[in-house]
Amino acid sequence: MMVDGAFRPLWWPKSLRARLFLILLAGLAIAYGLSFGVLYAERYMSAKALMLRTLENDVATSIAVLDRTPASERPELLDWLSRGNYNLALGPGLPGVPNTSTHGQEIAAKLESAAGSRFPLRIEAIPGEGNRLQAHLTLSDGSPLTIEITPRGVMPIADWLPYVLMLQMALLLFCTWFAVRQAIRPLGELAAAADALDPNAKSIPLSEAGPSEVAHAARAFNAMLERIAHYLEERVQILAAISHDLQTPITRMRLRADMADESVEKDKLVRDLREIERLVQDGIAYARSSHSSGEKAARIDLVSFIDSIAYDYQDTGKAVMVVGCVDGVASTKPHALRRILSNFIDNALKFAGAAEIGVERRSEGNIVITVMDRGPGIPEDMLKAAMQPFFRLEQSRNRETGGTGLGLAIAQQLAGTIGGAVRLYNRDGGGLAAEVIIR
């Protein structure tokens, strides 16, 4: 499977957390398995060597005892001389086949060493009996002796060993998860802080505690936040300074234009100067809105406050209606909230010719004031950009259609100063809704 120009198997996880967990777990499990395999092999070889050495000594002793014991007393010693992995029997034993297995040949070599040259051995495997072997020899008095060998597992497994293995695997899983969590959590916090970065609100710095690498990344991120805030502050100050300094020459130009003789060119010049003056005033308003003014929060009656805004517009002949309001009070900065709603209403009147105001109190306790219109709305892919300074859907220089592109940006700035938020969305059936949320 190709992902971003690179090949990625279908089973390979997408998240870094899952990848690190899988790599660490696989590596630790393989290392653990290799260690267990080495220990098992070492124990197997040690146990096998001990078994063969014990078998050789025991068989040599048993043959010597039976050879020196009278024939009549030998049956009584058979059970006493037999061991867990071999039995002694008087007689020729069962017919067998040549012994060809490697393990059988190792046992045969030990038995031949135990019997010595005095008692020649013939070792055969019993067909269909797995590793069962029989060694045939003749004692000094001519009596046949059969040694039946059934090798046991050289490494018995204790009953508690599977539980220990499961406990170790659980511990391995926990340690892997904890290590991945410790490694990924700072990255997640950094990503969350980056997502929450809002130029219009004061960002909370990251904690600089933790390992040196994490602390270094947090310090770098916090320094970046400070630089961004400083750059934005400089931008606003430059805008405010330019807008303020332009007021004086604009005023002089207005005076000169008013003193000029009446003509079509004079009317055009006056209109242009008024447009420039409004642009400068909007620039100053935007610069001021980026800082929390000295206005203090106060309790307002929602019904009276919304009605007063609507009446002010209705008195000038504008179609602004209140379509829904809730009783109660809200704690906010009244002048900032009025400016936000005025910008929303002016925008609706410009593009739709009418505006509706609705107020609701949501379940989480937030108060939402929405200004709605039935205008052309905003394309979905431009809703976010519409909140940026100097953004205009209509790119003309006409004030009546294009505007300065600062109204919604000022509303967003002011919403941050009152601890709220604004949101734009297209209405069902056409039109735009601009809401301010008061927390």
Side-chain angles (χ1 to χ4, degrees), residues 29-46:
I30 292 173
Y32 177 78
L34 290 174
S35 300
F36 182 81
V38 169
L39 291 175
Y40 184 92
E42 191 276 334
R43 182 178 175 185
Y44 175 86
M45 290 185 291
S46 299

Side-chain angles (χ1 to χ4, degrees), residues 344 378 383-384 386-387 408 422-426 432-435:
F344 286 165
I378 298 177
L383 283 173
K384 186 175 180 180
M387 304 301 297
L408 295 178
V422 298
R423 184 171 75 98
L424 297 179
Y425 60 91
N426 290 306
L432 185 70
E435 65 180 27

Side-chain angles (χ1 to χ4, degrees), residues 6-339:
F7 177 77
R8 181 175 68 85
L10 294 176
W11 54 266
W12 189 243
K14 295 181 179 180
S15 68
L16 179 61
R17 182 189 301 271
R19 290 183 181 184
L20 285 178
F21 182 84
L22 184 61
I23 292 172
L24 289 176
L25 181 62
L28 291 174
I30 292 173
Y32 177 78
L34 290 174
S35 300
F36 182 81
V38 169
L39 291 175
Y40 184 92
E42 191 276 334
R43 182 178 175 185
Y44 175 86
M45 290 185 291
S46 299
K48 179 179 177 182
L50 178 62
M51 184 205 74
L52 293 176
R53 185 167 59 251
T54 303
L55 177 65
E56 180 182 359
N57 296 334
D58 290 348
V59 169
T61 303
S62 299
I63 293 175
V65 169
L66 289 175
D67 188 62
R68 290 177 174 82
T69 302
S72 60
E73 299 178 5
R74 288 172 184 169
E76 299 176 2
L77 298 177
L78 293 179
D79 292 338
W80 180 70
L81 293 174
S82 297
R83 296 292 183 264
N85 55 351
Y86 70 89
N87 294 314
L88 298 174
L90 297 173
L94 300 175
V97 296
N99 174 33
T100 58
S101 67
T102 302
H103 186 55
Q105 291 176 357
E106 292 177 347
I107 294 176
K110 292 296 180 181
L111 293 178
E112 291 173 353
S113 176
S117 58
R118 184 181 176 186
F119 304 102
L121 282 175
R122 186 182 80 258
I123 299 178
E124 297 176 334
I126 305 302
E129 296 292 337
N131 293 330
R132 186 179 175 187
L133 302 173
Q134 283 190 349
H136 307 282
L137 58 89
T138 303
L139 298 177
S140 299
D141 60 358
S143 300
L145 177 66
T146 299
I147 306 173
E148 184 173 326
I149 303 167
T150 308
R152 293 184 176 181
V154 296
M155 189 177 176
I157 301 297
D159 294 338
W160 47 265
L161 186 58
Y163 299 101
V164 173
L165 293 177
M166 287 189 291
L167 179 61
Q168 290 175 329
M169 184 56 66
L171 182 62
L172 189 64
L173 286 171
F174 173 77
C175 291
T176 303
W177 169 83
F178 185 74
V180 171
R181 181 175 179 271
Q182 290 295 105
I184 296 299
R185 184 174 59 180
L187 185 60
E189 293 175 353
L190 181 62
D195 287 338
L197 181 61
D198 184 2
N200 301 314
K202 183 175 179 59
S203 300
I204 300 176
L206 279 176
S207 173
E208 297 181 4
S212 59
E213 296 83 0
V214 175
H216 178 72
R219 284 194 297 269
F221 183 82
N222 292 335
M224 182 190 69
L225 289 182
E226 294 179 0
R227 289 194 298 270
I228 291 175
H230 179 68
Y231 294 153
L232 292 176
E233 179 72 17
E234 285 186 345
R235 185 192 68 173
V236 171
Q237 289 178 355
I238 292 172
L239 176 61
I242 294 174
S243 300
H244 182 271
D245 292 343
L246 283 175
Q247 287 183 310
T248 300
I250 291 173
T251 302
R252 290 199 301 264
M253 294 173 67
R254 284 284 305 275
L255 290 174
R256 292 170 182 170
D258 291 339
M259 294 174 62
D261 296 334
E262 296 294 334
S263 65
V264 176
E265 295 300 326
K266 173 185 175 179
D267 294 338
K268 293 181 180 179
L269 178 60
V270 171
R271 285 197 300 270
D272 289 341
L273 288 174
R274 288 175 180 172
E275 183 174 347
I276 295 174
E277 188 174 16
R278 290 173 184 174
L279 178 60
V280 169
Q281 290 173 351
D282 284 347
I284 295 175
Y286 176 74
R288 290 174 177 173
S289 68
S290 63
H291 303 284
S292 179
S293 64
E295 183 184 7
K296 295 182 179 180
R299 295 171 66 85
I300 60 172
D301 180 78
L302 289 173
V303 175
S304 300
F305 183 80
I306 298 300
D307 285 342
S308 68
I309 295 177
Y311 292 155
D312 289 342
Y313 279 94
Q314 292 171 5
D315 289 343
T316 60
K318 304 294 177 61
V320 178
M321 302 295 296
V322 179
V323 296
C325 194
V326 294
D327 293 329
V329 296
S331 179
T332 185
K333 297 179 179 180
H335 294 296
L337 180 59
R338 181 179 289 271
R339 180 62 187 271

